Amino acid sequence: MGFTAVWISPVTYNLPGPTADGEAYHGYWQQNLYELNPLFGTAGDLRALSEALHKRGMYLMVDVVVNHFGYNGAGDTVNYTQLHPFDKQEYYHPYCLISDYSNQDNVEDCWLGDTQVSLPDLKTEDSLVTEIYYSWIHDLVANYSIDGLRIDTVKHVDKAFWAGFNSAAGVFCTGESFNYDASYTCAYQNYLDSVLNYPMYGPLVQAFSSDNGDMSGLVNAINTIKGTCKDSTLLGSFSENHDVPRFASFTADMAVRGQLLVKQLLLVKADSLQLAMNVLAFTILGDGVPIIYQGQEAHLAGSGDPANREALWQTGFQTDVALYRFVASMNQIRHQAIEMDSNYLIYKNYPVYSNGHVIAMRKGFDGNQVITVLTNGGQSSKEYTFALGGTGFRPGEVLVEVTKCVTVSINADGSLDVAMAQGLPKVFYPARHLSGSGICSL
């Protein structure tokens, strides 16, 4: 599909066996920093994965948890000797479950989890805890040639901790602050290289999950995030992950929501694939580091956790399906734009046009810009053509609409005629930059 990195689950040893909340298949209930999870493989396996990716010119990103450990039992019954290296109660905040997300002290000092599986909350403001964590992450990265980190639950840790952790890791770090408010989430980019773009996720899903989605909200989010975050081009851009419902669960017929069926591609309502293509195009061609969750290319429709964590092998790993091919094509045009201009990624995407059903965006400096036109109209929307201004192209410039491989020219007044049909996205790029690329057989 054209990706350059793989993000894997946390690799540390986790709480073993069944619990009242299920098993720790996900990797987020760690119990030993210095031992790998045997269910995921050995140290040799992890090094082999890293080496194999690097031979392919790809990067390895590993998920890590700092905020908490995992214990099978209530918070007031924790046997701290089972947790390593933080094996004493003094390393943790006093037990209390988070009760007020508007109170940052409560968010940072109280515990996630519940009364059946508790998540002991590390006292990361303690100098010894900090020292151990910084040393551990430095060694983990070095021992397995890790290229980047996704950090879980960053908003539950004091901000002062993160700059030193990022520095000790010595690689790109993006943090999960599960909060849709830009001012809240963007603040963490002052301490980490990046954060996952939750402030964009909410408006994005709202815009494209139906044909009456809120497109103006998406436009506002793009502009707000650019003006609030330290650098919107470094944010993790996504429309699905293991903590939120799959996009198809918002657009699929009720009869198939949450089902783990390979044949669900035949069952979801007609508009679902078109809407998914528009969301994927935004994710890949907008600002930030595009993140596609495994199974998204198969249009899996699981709703909330754990239904959104389907076993991928149940799909048959199909590659000849619509979204797989579409993701590959979007990655291909993104790579081409980067190849033609090494500064492409630092240009901040902005909307050049929008109405209730359409948003048109530009990313890229003059002469190398990608124009992306997206719609929530769905398959049954009427065919029509409109003149799009503000693209930055000169009259007579020849472009290729790369999803259908159609050639168009910029009009004498500088506008671009965009033919919308069947709710599909449109992506335009200069024809002169496609020679030899293989895109549209050029």
Side-chain angles (χ1 to χ4, degrees), residues 20-320:
D21 291 342
E23 296 193 25
Y25 64 91
H26 39 67
Y28 294 98
W29 296 345
Q30 66 189 2
Q31 289 197 330
N32 192 335
L33 289 182
Y34 299 119
E35 184 177 345
L36 295 182
N37 188 338
L39 298 179
F40 290 175
T42 65
D45 293 330
L46 184 54
R47 290 192 181 95
L49 172 62
S50 179
E51 182 179 350
L53 288 171
H54 292 154
K55 283 183 177 179
R56 290 165 171 79
M58 299 176 70
Y59 301 107
L60 173 62
M61 174 170 277
V62 175
D63 209 325
V64 296
V65 184
V66 168
N67 176 68
H68 59 266
F69 274 49
Y71 182 77
N72 188 7
D76 55 3
T77 68
V78 174
N79 179 357
Y80 292 94
T81 63
Q82 295 182 12
L83 312 179
H84 305 283
F86 306 113
D87 56 0
K88 298 176 182 178
Q89 188 172 2
E90 65 194 58
Y91 294 127
Y92 300 85
H93 292 123
Y95 174 60
C96 58
L97 291 176
I98 296 173
S99 58
D100 182 3
Y101 274 89
S102 67
N103 182 328
Q104 189 60 28
D105 288 338
N106 188 262
V107 170
E108 292 180 6
D109 296 343
C110 289
W111 297 20
L112 291 164
D114 53 38
T115 58
Q116 300 179 111
V117 175
S118 57
L119 303 180
D121 195 88
L122 268 299
K123 195 181 293 183
T124 48
E125 66 274 21
D126 180 270
S127 60
L128 180 57
V129 172
T130 296
E131 180 183 344
I132 291 173
Y133 259 135
Y134 289 1
S135 175
W136 166 75
I137 196 59
H138 174 272
D139 292 347
L140 182 74
V141 168
N143 290 341
Y144 299 103
S145 301
I146 295 167
D147 304 295
L149 301 174
R150 182 268 188 188
I151 308 171
D152 189 58
T153 53
V154 300
K155 72 178 184 181
H156 296 281
V157 173
D158 57 298
K159 291 186 179 73
F161 173 88
W162 289 122
F165 187 86
N166 200 143
S167 178
V171 294
F172 177 78
C173 293
T174 188
E176 179 226 10
S177 172
F178 196 149
N179 190 297
Y180 298 142
D181 181 75
S183 61
Y184 182 95
T185 293
C186 290
Y188 288 90
Q189 201 183 18
N190 296 321
Y191 305 90
L192 294 166
D193 297 318
S194 166
V195 290
L196 299 180
N197 200 346
Y198 273 98
M200 189 72 78
Y201 165 76
L204 178 61
V205 170
Q206 290 173 9
F208 290 105
S209 57
S210 73
D211 59 7
N212 61 356
D214 181 12
M215 201 65 77
S216 63
L218 181 60
V219 172
N220 290 338
I222 293 171
N223 294 326
T224 297
I225 291 164
K226 285 195 299 182
T228 307
C229 280
K230 182 178 180 180
D231 187 350
S232 62
T233 68
L234 294 178
L235 304 180
S237 175
F238 69 96
S239 52
E240 288 187 16
N241 64 36
H242 60 284
D243 288 324
V244 298
R246 289 193 179 273
F247 180 74
S249 73
F250 299 117
T251 60
D253 288 335
M254 290 300 296
V256 298
R257 288 190 180 185
Q259 293 184 18
L260 303 180
L261 297 175
V262 175
K263 62 182 180 181
Q264 69 181 313
L265 287 175
L266 304 176
L267 298 175
V268 294
K269 68 179 184 179
D271 286 347
S272 187
L273 281 174
Q274 280 79 5
L275 294 169
M277 287 179 181
N278 283 275
V279 161
L280 286 164
F282 183 96
T283 302
I284 295 171
L285 298 179
D287 280 345
V289 180
I291 302 171
I292 304 301
Y293 181 39
Q294 64 171 22
Q296 193 167 358
E297 78 289 347
H299 207 43
L300 295 182
S303 53
D305 171 10
N308 59 349
R309 301 177 177 185
E310 308 95 324
L312 192 57
W313 56 83
Q314 296 188 54
T315 69
F317 300 107
Q318 297 178 68
T319 58
D320 190 25

Side-chain angles (χ1 to χ4, degrees), residues 273-274 277-278 373-375 378 381 403-404 419-426:
L273 281 174
Q274 280 79 5
M277 287 179 181
N278 283 275
V373 184
L374 307 175
T375 177
S381 59
T403 70
K404 295 294 185 182
M420 304 298 293
Q422 298 180 318
L424 295 170
K426 301 291 182 180

